Amino acid sequence: MSGEPESPPPLVVVDGANVVGSVPDGWWRDRAGAASRLRDALAPVAAAGLAGMPGPVEVLLVVEGRARDIPQAPGGVRVERASGSGDDKIIELVRREHGARPIVVVTADRGLRDRAVALGAEVRAPSAVPRSAR
């Protein structure tokens, strides 16, 4: 052992509303159900990581609005509930972790992308993560 503290794993922050909304599969009829399906689909990412970022990684799914009440579930994905804007919650999380470890924000929202990159996060498109459990 080197005696140095272990650094935390890379952080993957998923913009739940944006990723769910990136596939027109009827999600608007059941926002909470769509967010729950996304949460479950993201579970393998915690162990496997993303392309170019091997696991393990910490996965945070930021939910807002009607999807805010989905429960935590086993599988390694932590649900973060935004009391207001999901984008503001994501930026709060990125700001809190800035410099401590690599951070990837998964979103297609241009404004959020710009804000996250300005804080040093990498941004990937919704296609970087599985959106439904198979």
Side-chain angles (χ1 to χ4, degrees):
M1 289 190 74
S2 66
E4 294 180 28
E6 281 190 44
S7 57
L11 178 64
V12 177
V13 182
V14 179
D15 180 353
N18 187 268
V19 172
V20 163
S22 69
V23 178
D25 61 1
W27 59 264
W28 52 89
R29 291 188 292 269
D30 180 10
R31 293 172 195 260
S36 292
R37 288 188 296 278
L38 175 58
R39 177 203 59 214
D40 297 347
L42 290 170
V45 173
L50 298 173
M53 180 179 276
V57 299
E58 183 178 359
V59 180
L60 301 181
L61 173 61
V62 176
V63 293
E64 60 185 274
R66 292 184 187 150
R68 197 172 46 232
D69 296 329
I70 69 167
Q72 296 288 343
V77 176
R78 192 169 89 215
V79 176
E80 285 282 337
R81 293 166 180 83
S83 57
S85 160
D87 290 5
D88 289 345
K89 180 67 172 183
I90 290 167
I91 293 303
E92 173 190 321
L93 294 165
V94 169
R95 189 172 281 126
R96 183 183 318 153
E97 296 291 330
H98 176 69
R101 55 182 161 166
I103 303 169
V104 172
V105 174
V106 179
T107 188
D109 180 302
R110 286 187 183 174
L112 177 57
R113 290 173 70 92
D114 293 344
R115 291 170 69 192
V117 167
L119 291 171
E122 178 185 342
V123 177
R124 297 195 187 182
S127 60
V129 296
R131 289 171 272 181
S132 61
R134 296 207 165 30

Short mmCIF file of all heavy atoms in Angstrom, two decimals, residues 10-57:
data_model
loop_
_atom_site.label_atom_id
_atom_site.label_comp_id
_atom_site.label_asym_id
_atom_site.label_seq_id
_atom_site.Cartn_x
_atom_site.Cartn_y
_atom_site.Cartn_z
N PRO A 10 -14.35 8.19 -10.94
CA PRO A 10 -14.93 9.22 -11.80
C PRO A 10 -16.43 9.33 -11.54
O PRO A 10 -17.09 8.37 -11.15
CB PRO A 10 -14.64 8.72 -13.21
CG PRO A 10 -13.45 7.83 -13.06
CD PRO A 10 -13.62 7.19 -11.71
N LEU A 11 -16.95 10.52 -11.78
CA LEU A 11 -18.37 10.81 -11.56
C LEU A 11 -19.08 11.00 -12.88
O LEU A 11 -18.62 11.78 -13.73
CB LEU A 11 -18.50 12.07 -10.70
CG LEU A 11 -19.91 12.56 -10.40
CD1 LEU A 11 -20.69 11.54 -9.57
CD2 LEU A 11 -19.86 13.90 -9.68
N VAL A 12 -20.19 10.29 -13.07
CA VAL A 12 -21.03 10.44 -14.26
C VAL A 12 -22.37 10.99 -13.78
O VAL A 12 -23.07 10.34 -13.01
CB VAL A 12 -21.24 9.09 -14.99
CG1 VAL A 12 -22.19 9.26 -16.17
CG2 VAL A 12 -19.89 8.52 -15.44
N VAL A 13 -22.69 12.22 -14.21
CA VAL A 13 -23.93 12.88 -13.82
C VAL A 13 -24.86 12.88 -15.04
O VAL A 13 -24.51 13.44 -16.08
CB VAL A 13 -23.68 14.33 -13.35
CG1 VAL A 13 -24.98 14.97 -12.89
CG2 VAL A 13 -22.64 14.36 -12.23
N VAL A 14 -26.02 12.26 -14.89
CA VAL A 14 -26.95 12.10 -16.01
C VAL A 14 -28.12 13.06 -15.84
O VAL A 14 -28.81 13.05 -14.81
CB VAL A 14 -27.45 10.64 -16.11
CG1 VAL A 14 -28.44 10.48 -17.25
CG2 VAL A 14 -26.26 9.69 -16.27
N ASP A 15 -28.35 13.88 -16.85
CA ASP A 15 -29.49 14.80 -16.90
C ASP A 15 -30.71 13.97 -17.28
O ASP A 15 -31.00 13.75 -18.45
CB ASP A 15 -29.20 15.87 -17.95
CG ASP A 15 -30.30 16.90 -18.12
OD1 ASP A 15 -31.38 16.75 -17.52
OD2 ASP A 15 -30.08 17.87 -18.87
N GLY A 16 -31.41 13.48 -16.26
CA GLY A 16 -32.51 12.54 -16.48
C GLY A 16 -33.56 13.03 -17.45
O GLY A 16 -33.93 12.31 -18.38
N ALA A 17 -34.05 14.25 -17.28
CA ALA A 17 -35.11 14.76 -18.16
C ALA A 17 -34.63 14.84 -19.60
O ALA A 17 -35.36 14.48 -20.53
CB ALA A 17 -35.58 16.13 -17.67
N ASN A 18 -33.40 15.26 -19.80
CA ASN A 18 -32.88 15.42 -21.15
C ASN A 18 -32.63 14.08 -21.81
O ASN A 18 -32.96 13.88 -22.98
CB ASN A 18 -31.59 16.25 -21.10
CG ASN A 18 -31.10 16.60 -22.48
OD1 ASN A 18 -30.29 15.86 -23.03
ND2 ASN A 18 -31.59 17.70 -23.02
N VAL A 19 -32.07 13.13 -21.07
CA VAL A 19 -31.78 11.81 -21.64
C VAL A 19 -33.08 11.06 -21.93
O VAL A 19 -33.25 10.49 -23.00
CB VAL A 19 -30.84 11.00 -20.73
CG1 VAL A 19 -30.68 9.58 -21.23
CG2 VAL A 19 -29.47 11.69 -20.65
N VAL A 20 -34.04 11.09 -21.00
CA VAL A 20 -35.34 10.46 -21.24
C VAL A 20 -36.01 11.09 -22.46
O VAL A 20 -36.56 10.40 -23.32
CB VAL A 20 -36.24 10.56 -19.99
CG1 VAL A 20 -37.69 10.29 -20.32
CG2 VAL A 20 -35.77 9.61 -18.91
N GLY A 21 -35.94 12.40 -22.55
CA GLY A 21 -36.59 13.12 -23.64
C GLY A 21 -35.92 12.96 -24.98
O GLY A 21 -36.47 13.37 -26.01
N SER A 22 -34.74 12.35 -25.01
CA SER A 22 -34.01 12.22 -26.28
C SER A 22 -34.56 11.10 -27.16
O SER A 22 -34.18 10.99 -28.32
CB SER A 22 -32.53 11.98 -26.01
OG SER A 22 -32.30 10.71 -25.43
N VAL A 23 -35.46 10.29 -26.62
CA VAL A 23 -36.07 9.20 -27.39
C VAL A 23 -37.58 9.35 -27.31
O VAL A 23 -38.16 9.25 -26.23
CB VAL A 23 -35.65 7.81 -26.83
CG1 VAL A 23 -36.32 6.69 -27.61
CG2 VAL A 23 -34.15 7.65 -26.87
N PRO A 24 -38.25 9.61 -28.44
CA PRO A 24 -39.71 9.81 -28.41
C PRO A 24 -40.46 8.49 -28.30
O PRO A 24 -41.06 8.01 -29.27
CB PRO A 24 -39.98 10.52 -29.74
CG PRO A 24 -38.90 10.02 -30.65
CD PRO A 24 -37.69 9.80 -29.78
N ASP A 25 -40.44 7.90 -27.11
CA ASP A 25 -41.06 6.59 -26.91
C ASP A 25 -42.31 6.64 -26.05
O ASP A 25 -42.72 5.63 -25.49
CB ASP A 25 -40.04 5.62 -26.32
CG ASP A 25 -39.53 6.08 -24.95
OD1 ASP A 25 -39.98 7.14 -24.46
OD2 ASP A 25 -38.69 5.38 -24.37
N GLY A 26 -42.89 7.84 -25.91
CA GLY A 26 -44.08 7.98 -25.08
C GLY A 26 -43.78 8.30 -23.63
O GLY A 26 -44.67 8.27 -22.78
N TRP A 27 -42.54 8.65 -23.31
CA TRP A 27 -42.13 8.95 -21.94
C TRP A 27 -43.01 10.00 -21.28
O TRP A 27 -43.19 9.98 -20.07
CB TRP A 27 -40.66 9.39 -21.90
CG TRP A 27 -40.37 10.61 -22.73
CD1 TRP A 27 -39.89 10.64 -24.00
CD2 TRP A 27 -40.58 11.98 -22.36
NE1 TRP A 27 -39.78 11.93 -24.46
CE2 TRP A 27 -40.20 12.78 -23.46
CE3 TRP A 27 -41.04 12.62 -21.21
CZ2 TRP A 27 -40.26 14.16 -23.44
CZ3 TRP A 27 -41.12 14.00 -21.19
CH2 TRP A 27 -40.72 14.76 -22.30
N TRP A 28 -43.57 10.91 -22.05
CA TRP A 28 -44.36 12.02 -21.49
C TRP A 28 -45.65 11.53 -20.84
O TRP A 28 -46.23 12.23 -20.03
CB TRP A 28 -44.65 13.06 -22.56
CG TRP A 28 -45.25 12.46 -23.81
CD1 TRP A 28 -46.57 12.25 -24.07
CD2 TRP A 28 -44.53 11.95 -24.94
NE1 TRP A 28 -46.73 11.64 -25.29
CE2 TRP A 28 -45.49 11.46 -25.85
CE3 TRP A 28 -43.19 11.87 -25.26
CZ2 TRP A 28 -45.12 10.89 -27.07
CZ3 TRP A 28 -42.84 11.32 -26.48
CH2 TRP A 28 -43.80 10.83 -27.36
N ARG A 29 -46.07 10.32 -21.16
CA ARG A 29 -47.28 9.78 -20.52
C ARG A 29 -47.02 9.25 -19.12
O ARG A 29 -47.94 9.13 -18.31
CB ARG A 29 -47.86 8.65 -21.39
CG ARG A 29 -48.45 9.17 -22.70
CD ARG A 29 -49.19 8.07 -23.45
NE ARG A 29 -48.30 7.04 -23.97
CZ ARG A 29 -47.73 7.06 -25.18
NH1 ARG A 29 -47.94 8.07 -25.99
NH2 ARG A 29 -46.97 6.06 -25.57
N ASP A 30 -45.76 8.93 -18.83
CA ASP A 30 -45.38 8.40 -17.51
C ASP A 30 -43.94 8.81 -17.22
O ASP A 30 -43.01 8.03 -17.38
CB ASP A 30 -45.53 6.87 -17.50
CG ASP A 30 -45.16 6.25 -16.16
OD1 ASP A 30 -44.97 6.99 -15.17
OD2 ASP A 30 -45.03 5.01 -16.12
N ARG A 31 -43.77 10.05 -16.80
CA ARG A 31 -42.43 10.59 -16.58
C ARG A 31 -41.68 9.83 -15.49
O ARG A 31 -40.49 9.54 -15.62
CB ARG A 31 -42.51 12.08 -16.24
CG ARG A 31 -42.99 12.90 -17.42
CD ARG A 31 -43.27 14.35 -17.03
NE ARG A 31 -44.04 15.02 -18.04
CZ ARG A 31 -43.52 15.83 -18.95
NH1 ARG A 31 -42.24 16.08 -18.95
NH2 ARG A 31 -44.30 16.39 -19.85
N ALA A 32 -42.37 9.50 -14.40
CA ALA A 32 -41.71 8.77 -13.32
C ALA A 32 -41.31 7.37 -13.79
O ALA A 32 -40.21 6.89 -13.47
CB ALA A 32 -42.62 8.69 -12.10
N GLY A 33 -42.18 6.71 -14.54
CA GLY A 33 -41.85 5.39 -15.06
C GLY A 33 -40.65 5.44 -16.01
O GLY A 33 -39.77 4.57 -15.95
N ALA A 34 -40.61 6.46 -16.85
CA ALA A 34 -39.47 6.61 -17.78
C ALA A 34 -38.18 6.85 -17.01
O ALA A 34 -37.13 6.29 -17.35
CB ALA A 34 -39.75 7.75 -18.76
N ALA A 35 -38.24 7.67 -15.96
CA ALA A 35 -37.05 7.94 -15.15
C ALA A 35 -36.60 6.67 -14.42
O ALA A 35 -35.40 6.41 -14.30
CB ALA A 35 -37.32 9.07 -14.17
N SER A 36 -37.55 5.88 -13.94
CA SER A 36 -37.21 4.62 -13.27
C SER A 36 -36.55 3.65 -14.24
O SER A 36 -35.57 2.97 -13.90
CB SER A 36 -38.46 3.97 -12.67
OG SER A 36 -38.96 4.73 -11.61
N ARG A 37 -37.05 3.59 -15.46
CA ARG A 37 -36.44 2.71 -16.47
C ARG A 37 -35.02 3.17 -16.79
O ARG A 37 -34.11 2.36 -16.94
CB ARG A 37 -37.31 2.64 -17.72
CG ARG A 37 -38.59 1.83 -17.51
CD ARG A 37 -39.35 1.60 -18.80
NE ARG A 37 -39.84 2.82 -19.42
CZ ARG A 37 -40.97 3.46 -19.06
NH1 ARG A 37 -41.72 2.97 -18.07
NH2 ARG A 37 -41.34 4.56 -19.68
N LEU A 38 -34.82 4.49 -16.88
CA LEU A 38 -33.49 5.01 -17.13
C LEU A 38 -32.57 4.67 -15.97
O LEU A 38 -31.43 4.21 -16.17
CB LEU A 38 -33.53 6.52 -17.35
CG LEU A 38 -32.16 7.20 -17.52
CD1 LEU A 38 -31.38 6.62 -18.68
CD2 LEU A 38 -32.35 8.71 -17.67
N ARG A 39 -33.03 4.87 -14.74
CA ARG A 39 -32.23 4.53 -13.55
C ARG A 39 -31.77 3.08 -13.63
O ARG A 39 -30.59 2.77 -13.43
CB ARG A 39 -33.07 4.75 -12.29
CG ARG A 39 -32.37 4.37 -10.98
CD ARG A 39 -33.36 4.06 -9.89
NE ARG A 39 -34.22 2.96 -10.29
CZ ARG A 39 -35.51 2.84 -9.94
NH1 ARG A 39 -36.08 3.73 -9.15
NH2 ARG A 39 -36.22 1.81 -10.35
N ASP A 40 -32.67 2.18 -13.96
CA ASP A 40 -32.34 0.76 -14.04
C ASP A 40 -31.38 0.45 -15.19
O ASP A 40 -30.49 -0.38 -15.06
CB ASP A 40 -33.61 -0.07 -14.16
CG ASP A 40 -34.52 0.05 -12.93
OD1 ASP A 40 -34.06 0.57 -11.89
OD2 ASP A 40 -35.70 -0.34 -13.04
N ALA A 41 -31.56 1.16 -16.31
CA ALA A 41 -30.68 0.94 -17.47
C ALA A 41 -29.26 1.43 -17.20
O ALA A 41 -28.30 0.91 -17.77
CB ALA A 41 -31.26 1.65 -18.69
N LEU A 42 -29.13 2.41 -16.31
CA LEU A 42 -27.81 2.97 -16.00
C LEU A 42 -27.00 2.10 -15.05
O LEU A 42 -25.79 2.27 -14.92
CB LEU A 42 -27.97 4.37 -15.39
CG LEU A 42 -28.45 5.47 -16.33
CD1 LEU A 42 -28.79 6.71 -15.52
CD2 LEU A 42 -27.41 5.77 -17.40
N ALA A 43 -27.64 1.15 -14.38
CA ALA A 43 -26.96 0.33 -13.37
C ALA A 43 -25.67 -0.31 -13.88
O ALA A 43 -24.64 -0.27 -13.19
CB ALA A 43 -27.91 -0.71 -12.80
N PRO A 44 -25.63 -0.88 -15.09
CA PRO A 44 -24.37 -1.49 -15.55
C PRO A 44 -23.24 -0.48 -15.74
O PRO A 44 -22.07 -0.86 -15.71
CB PRO A 44 -24.75 -2.13 -16.89
CG PRO A 44 -26.23 -2.27 -16.87
CD PRO A 44 -26.74 -1.16 -16.00
N VAL A 45 -23.56 0.79 -15.94
CA VAL A 45 -22.54 1.81 -16.15
C VAL A 45 -21.67 1.97 -14.90
O VAL A 45 -20.47 2.22 -15.01
CB VAL A 45 -23.19 3.16 -16.55
CG1 VAL A 45 -22.17 4.28 -16.60
CG2 VAL A 45 -23.91 3.02 -17.89
N ALA A 46 -22.26 1.80 -13.71
CA ALA A 46 -21.50 1.96 -12.47
C ALA A 46 -20.30 1.01 -12.44
O ALA A 46 -19.20 1.40 -12.03
CB ALA A 46 -22.40 1.74 -11.26
N ALA A 47 -20.48 -0.21 -12.89
CA ALA A 47 -19.39 -1.18 -12.89
C ALA A 47 -18.55 -1.10 -14.16
O ALA A 47 -17.32 -1.17 -14.10
CB ALA A 47 -19.96 -2.60 -12.75
N ALA A 48 -19.19 -0.93 -15.30
CA ALA A 48 -18.48 -1.00 -16.58
C ALA A 48 -17.87 0.32 -17.01
O ALA A 48 -16.91 0.34 -17.78
CB ALA A 48 -19.45 -1.48 -17.67
N GLY A 49 -18.43 1.45 -16.55
CA GLY A 49 -17.95 2.75 -16.98
C GLY A 49 -18.51 3.14 -18.33
O GLY A 49 -19.51 2.57 -18.80
N LEU A 50 -17.87 4.10 -18.95
CA LEU A 50 -18.26 4.60 -20.27
C LEU A 50 -17.10 4.38 -21.23
O LEU A 50 -15.98 4.10 -20.81
CB LEU A 50 -18.58 6.10 -20.20
CG LEU A 50 -19.73 6.54 -19.32
CD1 LEU A 50 -19.77 8.06 -19.23
CD2 LEU A 50 -21.05 6.00 -19.84
N ALA A 51 -17.35 4.57 -22.51
CA ALA A 51 -16.28 4.46 -23.50
C ALA A 51 -15.14 5.40 -23.12
O ALA A 51 -15.37 6.59 -22.86
CB ALA A 51 -16.81 4.81 -24.88
N GLY A 52 -13.93 4.88 -23.00
CA GLY A 52 -12.78 5.69 -22.64
C GLY A 52 -12.69 6.02 -21.15
O GLY A 52 -11.78 6.72 -20.74
N MET A 53 -13.63 5.53 -20.35
CA MET A 53 -13.62 5.75 -18.91
C MET A 53 -14.04 4.45 -18.24
O MET A 53 -15.21 4.23 -17.95
CB MET A 53 -14.59 6.87 -18.52
CG MET A 53 -14.62 7.16 -17.01
SD MET A 53 -15.76 8.50 -16.60
CE MET A 53 -14.71 9.90 -16.90
N PRO A 54 -13.08 3.55 -18.02
CA PRO A 54 -13.44 2.25 -17.45
C PRO A 54 -13.97 2.38 -16.03
O PRO A 54 -13.63 3.32 -15.31
CB PRO A 54 -12.13 1.47 -17.48
CG PRO A 54 -11.05 2.48 -17.62
CD PRO A 54 -11.65 3.69 -18.27
N GLY A 55 -14.83 1.43 -15.66
CA GLY A 55 -15.41 1.42 -14.33
C GLY A 55 -14.40 0.97 -13.30
O GLY A 55 -13.30 0.53 -13.65
N PRO A 56 -14.76 1.09 -12.07
CA PRO A 56 -16.05 1.58 -11.62
C PRO A 56 -16.13 3.11 -11.66
O PRO A 56 -15.12 3.79 -11.56
CB PRO A 56 -16.14 1.08 -10.18
CG PRO A 56 -14.71 1.02 -9.72
CD PRO A 56 -13.91 0.65 -10.95
N VAL A 57 -17.36 3.60 -11.83
CA VAL A 57 -17.64 5.02 -11.78
C VAL A 57 -18.84 5.22 -10.86
O VAL A 57 -19.61 4.29 -10.62
CB VAL A 57 -17.96 5.62 -13.18
CG1 VAL A 57 -16.78 5.45 -14.12
CG2 VAL A 57 -19.21 5.00 -13.79
#
